[in-house]
Amino acid sequence: MFDKVLIANRGEIAVRINRACQELGISTVAIHSEADAESMHVRIADESVCIGPNAVNKSYLNTHSIIAACEITGAQAVHPGYGFLSENASFSKMLEDHKLIFIGPNHSHINAMGDKIQAKKMMKEFGVPTVPGSDKAIESEKDAINISKDIGYPVLIKASAGGGGRGMKVVNDEKELKQSLPIIKQEALSFFGNDSVYIEKFIDSPRHIEVQVICDSHGNFLHLHERDCSVQRRNQKVLEEALAPGIENEKKDELFQICVGAMKKMQYLGLGTLEFLYENGEFYFMEMNTRLQVEHPITEMLTRIDLVREQICVAHGEKIFTNQENIKPLGHSIECRINAENSSDFKPSAGTIGLFHPPAGNGIRLDTFIYSGYKVPHYYDNLLAKLIATGRTRNHAIKRALRSLNEMVIDGIDTNIDLHKKILSSEEFKKGSVSINWLENNIASL
Ligand code: ADP
Ligand code: ADP
Ligand code: MG
């Protein structure tokens, strides 16, 4: 196993990775910006290195400083977490050139899946059903008009390098298309450094269902069942659950076989998630995330597999400790993303946390990095904590999530705890199978 791993991230995920490393007997190196010197991930790591000022491009995205930090500390591998450099193929290549291991898939797979046009094309060739749309980048306005006519309005213009729910726009007719195309291209360029866009069918009221996979370098390609991430706001996940309610097991198994088959054809390595839209009994592939995901804990709770531990092990060349037959999810798990944000206008909130009281008890897991007195900086993502409630049944998990949200205290800053209570108390949510539009359409009346 590695002796020392550098964790190129911050917040709850850096804490999560630190835990997995220390349990494996790996010594850890935290990196941090100036604002994060007092942050939990720095406090619990075995060593830490300040890699720059607060702006992310000068710290958490500063590849040269990160590689220098590896050299100074003698770290052999880098865990990128999610966001930041986790899907940056040139960073993983740079590490390879410095004889360092990137804990993730090889860079050709990051590259291929990071370009959503190429990803869809590749998956289609592997027999994965995809969202109908253009199979190459939009070249001109005329091209966009023709493709949209073919698929039929409404269509979605999407940035091929997009992520985090940004870089997409629905258009209802040719006039809107002409207006929006240059705007989205410009946005794509400024957000993602790449103005390539594509067009796909806008699916009216689907659910977001995703399949978790893990692969090693010994010919094992496993799936860890699915998650339902349909509770979203602005195309960003708010609450996730596993397994997905109300979908026939046969239909799911068929999808798992297709996913595993595609991973085998790709010779994929490490953790990955294939994201699908699900409507009228059909699945449509949207994209693949070649990294650890925010919502991975709900899968861990049901399968009792430590995904981060396995991810590190397979990156080191080990075999996955289990096999497909032994992966039998048990119960139901729900994750609530607790964000620092205003409950009415959703503006990110920053400031000093007064009292923090975490919930606990049977079936409750809280992945966080905050503590009483912690100063939440305004430079970074506003995810404060992930509350993961697990029970025998879906109803049990919902009750547990509500009970623990009532116990939880985060004083001094605004959070979306109340929004989660409203979601979990809603009759429609309790019935299961809400679509990706449900939260946004009902948020005012919840
Ligand atoms: P997940 O599917 O793991 O929940 P998200 O889409 O919520 O993934 O993204 C995880 C984190 O990474 C979020 O903090 C998001 O803001 C960030 N992120 C994802 N993709 C990008 C990207 N292309 N550029 C910048 N940030 C991103
Ligand atoms: P990101 O890289 O930002 O996660 P995705 O392609 O995964 O981008 O899309 C994010 C979300 O946007 C999806 O979970 C879904 O809610 C919505 N979405 C994406 N594509 C479509 C589509 N063709 N029709 C309807 N909604 C879509
Ligand atoms: Mg996505």
Side-chain angles (χ1 to χ4, degrees):
M1 186 39 68
F2 304 117
D3 298 312
K4 202 183 264 193
V5 166
L6 181 140
I7 301 163
N9 215 301
R10 65 179 302 282
E12 68 84 21
I13 201 64
V15 171
R16 168 71 189 90
I17 297 161
N18 192 80
R19 287 178 175 146
C21 289
Q22 289 178 342
E23 288 171 16
L24 279 164
I26 301 170
S27 147
T28 56
V29 181
I31 57 162
H32 65 90
S33 64
E34 285 162 5
D36 274 343
E38 303 280 297
S39 199
M40 184 64 85
H41 77 282
V42 177
R43 293 173 179 227
I44 62 173
D46 296 302
E47 281 170 80
S48 65
V49 181
C50 180
I51 44 147
N54 301 336
V56 292
N57 59 336
K58 296 201 168 122
S59 52
Y60 298 103
L61 294 177
N62 186 339
T63 51
H64 294 287
S65 296
I66 294 170
I67 288 171
C70 288
E71 282 171 351
I72 294 162
T73 57
Q76 299 143 333
V78 174
H79 196 307
Y82 54 70
F84 294 135
L85 297 166
S86 61
E87 289 170 296
N88 186 318
S90 55
F91 176 60
S92 85
K93 181 73 175 62
M94 267 171 89
L95 291 180
E96 193 183 295
D97 294 342
H98 285 81
K99 309 232 166 344
L100 294 161
I101 308 273
F102 177 79
I103 301 180
N106 64 50
H107 47 85
S108 68
H109 288 150
I110 302 176
N111 241 336
M113 295 299 117
D115 177 341
K116 293 185 179 185
I117 301 170
Q118 206 185 326
K120 276 180 73 178
K121 201 167 161 217
M122 207 161 152
M123 288 301 165
K124 207 170 165 181
E125 282 166 14
F126 293 154
V128 181
T130 57
V131 183
S134 56
D135 50 16
K136 52 184 180 38
I138 297 299
E139 279 158 10
S140 61
E141 186 184 271
K142 195 161 162 274
D143 191 19
I145 292 169
N146 288 338
I147 287 162
S148 304
K149 251 191 212 139
D150 274 354
I151 350 175
Y153 290 96
V155 298
L156 196 60
I157 313 174
K158 292 174 87 167
S160 92
R166 278 164 300 188
M168 53 182 107
K169 176 119 180 54
V170 188
V171 297
N172 292 297
D173 51 42
E174 195 173 307
K175 190 170 159 245
E176 275 183 36
L177 178 72
K178 283 181 183 168
Q179 281 168 349
S180 301
L181 189 63
I183 300 171
I184 284 289
K185 275 178 92 71
Q186 184 51 46
E187 268 180 32
L189 185 65
S190 59
F191 277 142
F192 312 110
N194 180 344
D195 78 345
S196 158
V197 298
Y198 64 109
I199 288 179
E200 65 184 26
K201 177 85 195 149
F202 175 69
I203 305 199
D204 188 54
S205 55
R207 290 166 66 188
H208 173 121
I209 306 289
E210 57 184 34
V211 178
Q212 175 74 60
V213 295
I214 183 163
C215 311
D216 64 20
S217 49
H218 301 268
N220 296 301
F221 304 90
L222 311 183
H223 72 82
L224 290 114
H225 298 260
E226 83 283 7
R227 294 184 285 259
D228 186 336
C229 312
S230 303
V231 180
Q232 302 185 355
R233 204 189 137 259
R234 299 211 168 152
N235 301 319
Q236 286 174 8
K237 300 162 185 167
V238 174
L239 177 151
E240 304 96 342
E241 61 184 308
L243 303 173
I247 304 176
E248 283 166 42
N249 284 337
E250 256 171 49
K251 197 83 207 158
K252 288 182 190 176
D253 282 336
E254 218 176 275
L255 182 70
F256 300 153
Q257 292 323 312
I258 292 172
C259 291
V260 165
M263 293 306 103
K264 195 169 177 180
K265 283 178 196 144
M266 268 172 89
Q267 290 293 300
Y268 189 76
L269 175 70
L271 289 180
T273 301
L274 292 96
E275 297 191 326
F276 294 87
L277 292 175
Y278 175 77
E279 194 181 53
N280 299 328
E282 301 297 330
F283 291 101
Y284 304 95
F285 173 83
M286 273 187 299
E287 65 155 344
M288 177 173 181
N289 294 326
T290 54
R291 57 172 164 85
L292 180 66
Q293 271 186 298
V294 176
E295 60 274 21
H296 76 277
I298 54 177
T299 299
E300 298 189 314
M301 300 323 289
L302 299 193
T303 59
R304 299 165 307 287
I305 294 172
D306 184 327
L307 288 185
V308 184
R309 183 185 177 97
E310 288 312 300
Q311 185 188 25
I312 297 167
C313 289
V314 300
H316 188 256
E318 265 130 72
K319 242 182 173 154
I320 302 165
F321 80 95
T322 187
N323 56 30
Q324 195 70 64
E325 288 71 56
N326 287 325
I327 300 171
K328 296 195 183 88
L330 181 67
H332 198 89
S333 194
I334 296 177
E335 172 180 277
C336 301
R337 297 192 189 199
I338 313 287
N339 296 332
E341 67 192 16
N342 185 282
S343 54
S344 44
D345 62 9
F346 300 97
K347 281 221 177 78
S349 165
T352 304
I353 295 175
L355 178 71
F356 168 52
H357 176 75
N362 206 3
I364 298 303
R365 163 174 170 182
L366 191 77
D367 281 22
T368 190
F369 66 115
I370 63 168
Y371 51 86
S372 296
Y374 175 65
K375 197 167 174 294
V376 180
H378 60 265
Y379 308 101
Y380 312 110
D381 195 273
N382 64 344
L383 180 69
L384 292 177
K386 303 185 310 205
L387 172 74
I388 301 109
T390 311
R392 274 273 154 174
T393 61
R394 184 169 188 267
N395 189 29
H396 190 190
I398 292 174
K399 292 245 163 68
R400 272 201 167 138
L402 271 170
R403 181 275 287 167
S404 56
L405 287 167
N406 285 330
E407 282 177 19
M408 190 165 183
V409 180
I410 304 177
D411 274 345
I413 53 167
D414 294 333
T415 75
N416 62 348
I417 291 179
D418 275 343
L419 175 64
H420 282 292
K421 289 186 194 169
K422 287 180 190 166
I423 295 169
L424 292 159
S425 306
S426 136
E427 289 308 320
E428 266 180 291
F429 177 78
K430 282 194 242 172
K431 270 188 235 150
S433 323
V434 297
S435 84
I436 57 170
N437 312 313
W438 174 77
L439 180 61
E440 223 149 337
N441 290 344
N442 293 281
I443 207 155
S445 62
L446 275 179

